[in-house]
Amino acid sequence: MPVIEEKEYSQQFDPAIWKRLLPFIKPYLGMILGIVALNLVTAGIDIALPLFQRTAIDRFIGAGTLEGLPVFAVCYAATIALQCVCVIFFTRYSMRVDVGIGRDLRSACFLHLQKLSLSYYNVTPVGYILARVTSDSNRISEMVAWGLIDIIWALSYVLGVFVAMLLLNWKLALPVILIVPALALVTMYFQKRILFWNRRVRRMNSQITGAYNEGIMGASTSKTLVIEDQNYQSFQKITADMRHSSIHAQRLSAVYIPIVMFLSTMATAIVLACGGFMVRDHALLIGTLSAFTTYAIGIFEPIQQLARTLAEIISVQANLERVGGLLMEEPGVTDTPEVIEKYGDVFHPKKENWEPIRGDIELRDVSFHYPDGNEYVLDHFNLKIPAGTTVAIVGETGAGKSTLVNLCCRFFEPTSGQILIDGVDYRERSQLWLHANIGYVLQNPHLFSGTVMENIRYGRLDATDEEVYAAAKSVSADTVVEKLENGYLSDVGEGGDRLSTGEKQLISFARAVLADPRIFVLDEATSSIDTLTEQLIQAAISHLLKGRTSFLIAHRLSTIRQADLILVVRDGKIVEQGKHLELLERKGYYHDLYSRQFEEESSMSLLKKA
């Protein structure tokens, strides 16, 4: 059971990184300023409450009189009411900022993901993308909305208490103020280490969740390979690491908390001892001593909170870096501003300017290597594919059969040279114009959650039910529907997991047919279909591909004998091209592939008969 290591971020606070968040904060700036103002008022009230306590003791309890109590009670009640109103409103505003920024970050990430090229998804794990869009965005929005409250309130309260104590009695305030730096140093020391181990705990928890997921999703594989014991041992190692990290974090907390309590108690004891002597000598009123004691007890929690929040800001900076990295990711294939102006983009297409597509494709002196490689897959390659031509691409697994198709479909662009569609460099036209005219059927097709009808209709959203039925029938997908309890209204499950791979292929083929594209790409499209169904679909393919340019990426060579052109790929390069009989007569690499596969299929046939 593999463990995916998460990148570690341990750098110090960097304002430049937080500037990336400004566009998302700007729409909520009014609310944030309101939160700041309300927190300043709340902190002021928290500072004032011990002064009410002082007044009550000195004026009423100490003096033994109730004169002026009604006015005092009204002022105190009004102050408490104002505090409640402030708390209600800054909580409401903070919730709105939290939800709003989180929504905007997720929307921006999702929108940007729609613009990224296929190459990004080929090299980026799904889990990485999901974490950026969900958990990272949530942590950032929570820090802006709630961390801001904690910092402003704690800082205002601590500074206000210092001022209040100095004004009340600077001699009694000095011992408390001198203890505060010691508390700050202890807090910074322990918080840094506690945060480190808590990060490890969170990371281990993610790995445990991933291990559970793999264990459940891969249960059948584990049982057939009899690797339950290895899975258990791997899981035990992860949980043991989490246990070790959790205990280490708790040990640090177990030392830190008593130290803070000791310092807090020392401050209180100093105030009570010194203040007691001062009260005895009539140098201090007992109400003032009571207020001092409240300040001494209450000042330490805000300092701890301030240290925790500042540590969390450093931690959340890593989340901001990851989300910012996603939003700054540049698409591998982009349209020029001139093309976007004429043809529109994926969200604002100007279909009225789209030229009809015939399907002529020409590769003119094309060289190509992948962005993360230096070796050329194609080198000064030339090829003309007239409209309506069926091109088969064959080769062993991993030979690079999909490279040529991905170039022609503009999922990648040539490193040098040109690819022309209908005589025009396809970079002079919109990606969406080309992609809207391509029907792609994958070896492992993806179905969206929903019904069979909805999944086929994704090929053309304005299609009628009758057109959906006709598309399904043309590729024998209606045979799948007939077996389902609710027919076309049957739910396919998440990712189509209620259907077999072959059934999903048929439905995805019907979806492509419904789109009526001018260019078809069939990537091992019949590899998971039984022999009888394959015969039916092969007949449908020969009919449907007439008049359309099509690419057949095939492993079973018997399925592409009638192709107009066969390209033979080996080690990422096209080594032979021609028709089926021509290639066999050359007795080259294609001949070897075909002969070997023919022998294997003959052997399998004999075994089945036996």
Side-chain angles (χ1 to χ4, degrees), residues 7-137:
K7 183 179 178 182
E8 188 73 36
Y9 293 87
S10 57
Q11 58 203 75
Q12 299 300 312
F13 179 78
D14 185 356
I17 294 174
W18 286 88
K19 284 182 181 178
R20 300 176 188 173
L21 197 57
L22 291 179
F24 298 95
I25 292 177
K26 190 175 180 181
Y28 306 95
L29 191 58
M31 286 188 188
I32 292 172
L33 292 175
I35 292 170
V36 171
L38 290 167
N39 268 272
L40 291 174
V41 173
T42 303
I45 292 172
D46 288 332
I47 295 166
L49 289 178
L51 300 179
F52 275 99
Q53 177 183 319
R54 170 202 180 208
T55 302
I57 294 172
D58 290 342
R59 178 173 295 182
F60 302 116
I61 299 174
T65 179
L66 298 178
E67 187 179 349
L69 182 61
V71 176
F72 174 84
V74 170
C75 292
Y76 185 78
T79 303
I80 295 298
L82 178 61
Q83 185 182 47
C84 292
V85 170
C86 289
V87 170
I88 289 170
F89 276 97
F90 81 58
T91 301
R92 289 184 63 185
Y93 288 156
S94 294
M95 289 176 66
R96 289 183 182 179
V97 170
D98 183 2
V99 173
I101 292 179
R103 178 201 61 194
D104 294 347
L105 279 170
R106 287 188 290 273
S107 296
C109 288
F110 190 83
L111 179 67
H112 191 68
L113 286 167
Q114 309 310 303
K115 300 176 182 177
L116 292 178
S117 306
L118 185 65
S119 57
Y120 176 78
Y121 296 95
N122 286 342
V123 299
T124 309
V126 174
Y128 176 91
I129 298 173
L130 290 176
R132 302 298 81 80
V133 176
T134 54
S135 60
D136 285 335
S137 298

Side-chain angles (χ1 to χ4, degrees), residues 343 349-351 353-361 388 408-411 421-422 426 429-441 459-460 511-521 544-545 547-551:
Y343 296 99
K350 298 179 180 179
K351 295 187 176 181
N353 295 333
W354 290 7
E355 295 87 350
I357 185 170
R358 297 189 307 275
D360 289 310
I361 301 174
C408 291
C409 293
R410 207 185 170 192
F411 297 140
I421 305 291
D422 296 342
Y426 65 8
R429 290 178 175 169
S430 167
Q431 294 179 68
L432 189 60
W433 166 81
L434 177 59
H435 295 164
N437 284 285
I438 295 174
Y440 213 120
V441 181
R460 182 159 52 87
R511 181 169 61 195
V513 168
L514 183 64
D516 192 25
R518 301 310 304 164
I519 300 172
F520 254 116
V521 179
L544 293 166
L545 298 188
R548 295 183 173 90
T549 306
S550 55
F551 295 91

